[in-house]
Amino acid sequence: MDAPYPEGAPPQAEVISAAGEARRSNSPAPAPHEAPSPEGGEPDLVITQYDETGGSMGNGFNLTDNPPGHIRSWRVTHEWLRLNVPVHTGVKNLAIVTGFGPSMKPMFNPGDPLLVDTGVKVVDHEGVYFFRVGDEGFIKLIQRVPEFDGPGVRLRVISKNPDFPPYDLSPKNPHFEVLGKVLTVWRSEQF
């Protein structure tokens, strides 16, 4: 497949350190917005981090804490978005989340940027979701499975790493909230 960037470069991403994160304000991150393209022509699209960013690929972390680092934004062309993310609820609902912890390896690695659709608020089919239970954020594969003795469904929460066993969650749990659905990831490899 042809890469949409010169020499296969990924979308521009800015990684910040824990020290840099300490300077982050509590105001919401700007919604995706356009920025002038360095080549001229159609403007680029800047997709920013989720405003309460971060999710755990392990046991979860408090969504009000500052995680150790983030990918703050992706700067992509509209063509890249059209080719790589053809289905979403709207550009205004796209955000970057950085997951931490090993539970989703090898699907993606700790610290990899994930493009989420924050317009998705229910689990209506299997997929990788960004969700919270209380103040704990998670990024997991969720399956809808039938109730053993009834007409309803349970949500089976699955990690890709076999060291983390699956567990069931009720979609009626008042502390459960879908924050978005993961659409694509930029999977890193260390060399």
Side-chain angles (χ1 to χ4, degrees):
M1 177 165 97
D2 291 334
Y5 297 101
E7 302 165 5
Q12 287 183 329
E14 185 177 348
V15 181
I16 61 172
S17 66
E21 182 58 24
R23 293 189 303 268
R24 189 182 90 156
S25 73
N26 289 330
S27 63
H33 59 278
E34 292 187 337
S37 170
E39 294 89 29
E42 184 179 25
D44 290 341
L45 179 64
V46 179
I47 303 171
T48 56
Q49 68 187 14
Y50 182 78
D51 66 331
E52 294 294 330
T53 197
S56 177
M57 299 186 303
N59 296 325
F61 74 93
N62 190 306
L63 290 175
T64 59
D65 290 347
N66 289 328
H70 299 288
I71 304 297
R72 294 184 61 189
S73 66
W74 278 0
R75 184 175 178 146
V76 302
T77 64
H78 286 272
E79 179 72 0
W80 180 89
L81 187 65
R82 186 183 67 72
L83 292 172
N84 294 284
V85 190
V87 178
H88 52 82
T89 63
V91 171
K92 70 182 183 331
N93 294 326
L94 299 178
I96 302 298
V97 173
T98 305
F100 295 96
S103 74
M104 291 303 286
K105 288 177 76 172
M107 182 181 274
F108 44 86
N109 296 306
D112 285 350
L114 315 173
L115 181 64
V116 299
D117 185 337
T118 63
V120 175
K121 297 298 184 187
V122 296
V123 178
D124 57 2
H125 61 280
E126 180 178 315
V128 178
Y129 290 86
F130 174 40
F131 64 96
R132 70 175 185 86
V133 179
D135 287 337
E136 301 298 314
F138 299 88
I139 299 166
K140 302 284 186 189
L141 176 65
I142 299 180
Q143 284 180 331
R144 292 169 49 92
V145 295
E147 289 280 0
F148 179 72
D149 57 357
V153 296
R154 288 212 154 290
L155 302 177
R156 175 128 328 129
V157 180
I158 302 168
S159 298
K160 295 305 281 185
N161 183 333
D163 291 341
F164 295 83
Y167 56 91
D168 289 349
L169 188 62
S170 170
K172 297 175 186 171
N173 180 330
H175 305 286
F176 170 73
E177 179 185 5
V178 175
L179 302 173
K181 184 174 188 298
V182 175
L183 302 178
T184 190
V185 303
W186 198 267
R187 187 176 176 274
S188 65
E189 285 195 39
Q190 303 295 320
F191 295 101

